[in-house]
Amino acid sequence: MKHVGIFSFLLLLLFSCTSRDKSKIEEIYSIKLDDVQETTLTYSDIIDIQEWIVLDSLNECTIGDVAKIEEFNKEYYVLDKAIQKCVLVFDEHGKYLRRIGRIGQGPGEYAQIYDFTINRRTGCVAILSGLSKVYVYDLKGEFRVTKQVSESLLWNIASNDCGYLMSSNHHTYTEGENAYLLYAFDDDFNFKGKWIQVLTERMPTLPLLSSALQVVGSEVYYCDVFTNSIYSYICDADSVAEKYDILFPAPVPDNVFADVMEFMGKQREYDFINEAVINEKNILLCYARQGNYNLVIIDSDGTILKNGRYSGRFPKVFHGSDKELLSPVSADEYLSYWEKLPVIHYNGIVSPESNFMILRWIMK
């Protein structure tokens, strides 16, 4: 009887642990994008411009390329991995305030910068560097602590009310228990859980998406361009589940994605996602289909609202406050493209020497 009792207890414990890994998401929405689109969509069908902000052009804040933007307390935190290799902070009007992080070998200095996020609960900025190390600073840029969080290579980081979620993007040299796609940590970077083993083929770090991890309310979404899946990390359940499955007629095979040169040579033969914006009510996907650039807006229940070939330039996109979206636009792109469109323009002077601009907009 004693052995039966222990066996029953172990079964109950196993069931409880297994149930904890299940998500509250009961349905995976399958979205078929198999038609050749005849409808043409332009910026006016998607983008409702609210404001243009020109960032200061001082030498200490000249930006080579904007890899990420986060907005917090009416300030813009901008990641430049090209020139400054740090997070630059600007006020709501674009005035330069300070920098967070620095390349180097001293305390609080790192060798590379991959990504960053703002923990709004603890009031700190976490910079993700090489070898899965995080460097934590307060909002003024004062260094606090560094920690290596995983044996797997992690490339992206986001934070919500539960702590942090990081992704390996199927690009890691580790195997087995150290080769998962998503990793969760608490506010002090103590390990909480991992989900979804990486693909057999090691994927390259293709710059297809502006943000692989996107925070929407209490959830963090991850868009996997290699499997055409969108996962949700649910904070209160502390679990990950697939929420959307994007179905293409000719998805890119793993072995083609894994070889950058082969992918570049054959990409017109396949269908793949090259941008994703996830909101509470809908999802915007830009995707390549038979060599054409397409855009689709999908309701949260998987219903396709708009779908067509996209004509024009579509900028990088990051989440702002409330429902607003933020897009970095270089001065050259603004002068050569946006200024010539019948849209709201910047109420001031923009020259080729101007720094990057931030386009604030709402999805129509």
Side-chain angles (χ1 to χ4, degrees):
M1 290 295 293
K2 182 178 180 181
H3 294 294
V4 172
I6 293 175
F7 180 70
S8 300
F9 173 75
L10 290 175
L11 282 177
L12 178 62
L13 181 62
L14 177 62
F15 176 77
S16 300
C17 293
T18 304
S19 299
R20 184 176 181 275
D21 288 338
K22 292 182 180 179
S23 170
K24 289 184 177 180
I25 300 173
E26 298 179 355
E27 182 177 1
I28 299 176
Y29 298 106
S30 296
I31 301 164
K32 293 183 178 180
L33 298 177
D34 53 359
D35 296 328
V36 177
Q37 295 301 314
E38 301 299 333
T39 304
T40 298
L41 300 174
T42 67
Y43 71 92
S44 61
D45 298 301
I46 309 299
I47 298 174
D48 183 6
I49 294 178
Q50 303 298 299
E51 184 185 12
W52 290 94
I53 300 169
V54 177
L55 303 179
D56 269 350
S57 298
L58 304 173
N59 288 336
E60 59 262 41
C61 64
T62 299
I63 297 171
D65 187 40
V66 176
K68 189 174 187 177
I69 304 173
E70 286 202 24
E71 183 180 359
F72 184 56
N73 287 342
K74 296 184 179 181
E75 294 179 345
Y76 296 104
Y77 292 71
V78 179
L79 173 59
D80 176 16
K81 297 195 288 187
I83 294 179
Q84 304 297 339
K85 296 180 173 60
C86 70
V87 177
L88 301 167
V89 187
F90 301 85
D91 71 10
E92 59 186 322
H93 305 296
K95 180 182 178 181
Y96 174 64
L97 300 175
R98 60 190 177 276
R99 64 188 294 144
I100 299 176
R102 187 180 303 275
I103 292 288
Q105 298 180 343
E109 298 178 340
Y110 41 78
Q112 306 101 3
I113 182 168
Y114 294 162
D115 198 3
F116 86 99
T117 189
I118 302 172
N119 188 320
R120 287 156 172 78
R121 283 204 312 170
T122 62
C124 67
V125 174
I127 287 178
L128 178 61
S129 184
L131 301 176
S132 301
K133 284 187 177 181
V134 290
Y135 293 76
V136 183
Y137 310 80
D138 64 22
L139 294 177
K140 297 300 181 182
E142 293 295 323
F143 174 65
R144 288 184 176 178
V145 68
T146 184
K147 185 175 182 179
Q148 182 173 1
V149 297
S150 176
E151 294 296 326
S152 180
L153 293 180
L154 302 178
W155 300 91
N156 293 108
I157 183 173
S159 62
N160 67 354
D161 291 341
C162 292
Y164 299 91
L165 190 70
M166 303 188 202
S167 60
S168 69
N169 303 341
H170 301 288
H171 183 77
T172 183
Y173 295 91
T174 50
E175 298 178 348
E177 290 303 306
N178 291 315
Y180 280 74
L181 180 62
L182 298 172
Y183 293 78
F185 305 88
D186 67 14
D187 286 335
D188 296 317
F189 292 99
N190 298 308
F191 174 75
K192 293 174 62 178
K194 57 188 177 184
W195 299 270
I196 309 162
Q197 285 200 301
V198 299
L199 297 171
T200 303
E201 298 273 1
R202 182 168 57 85
M203 296 294 124
T205 54
L206 291 172
L208 295 177
L209 301 181
S210 301
S211 296
L213 293 169
Q214 300 182 33
V215 180
V216 182
S218 62
E219 296 181 56
V220 181
Y221 287 89
Y222 177 79
C223 183
D224 188 346
V225 297
F226 302 114
T227 65
N228 300 313
S229 305
I230 297 177
Y231 297 96
S232 173
Y233 172 56
I234 301 177
C235 186
D236 54 3
D238 195 23
S239 62
V240 168
E242 183 177 6
K243 191 168 185 178
Y244 300 98
D245 186 20
I246 312 302
L247 305 177
F248 288 124
V252 183
D254 290 350
N255 65 301
V256 174
F257 252 143
D259 187 324
V260 175
M261 295 305 296
E262 185 175 6
F263 170 71
M264 296 300 292
K266 295 183 176 180
Q267 60 178 306
R268 296 181 66 86
E269 301 175 16
Y270 299 109
D271 312 328
F272 56 92
I273 300 169
N274 49 23
E275 186 59 284
V277 183
I278 303 166
N279 286 328
E280 291 182 353
K281 293 185 177 180
N282 49 41
I283 299 171
L284 182 151
L285 294 178
C286 298
Y287 65 98
R289 173 85 171 91
Q290 295 184 354
N292 294 308
Y293 193 76
N294 297 273
L295 188 148
V296 60
I297 295 180
I298 305 160
D299 203 351
S300 59
D301 64 359
T303 303
I304 294 177
L305 303 177
K306 296 179 182 180
N307 193 13
R309 295 187 181 183
Y310 186 77
S311 175
R313 297 183 186 179
F314 197 82
K316 290 182 179 180
V317 187
F318 305 97
H319 287 272
S321 59
D322 298 325
K323 298 179 181 179
E324 285 191 344
L325 298 167
L326 307 173
S327 293
V329 176
S330 69
D332 286 341
E333 182 182 348
Y334 176 80
L335 293 171
S336 64
Y337 181 70
W338 293 98
E339 193 177 48
K340 298 178 181 180
L341 297 177
V343 298
I344 295 175
H345 295 141
Y346 176 66
N347 187 23
I349 298 174
V350 178
S351 72
E353 291 73 34
S354 296
N355 206 357
F356 266 80
M357 308 173 69
I358 295 177
L359 168 60
R360 293 175 47 240
W361 59 283
I362 296 174
M363 192 187 308
K364 290 184 178 180

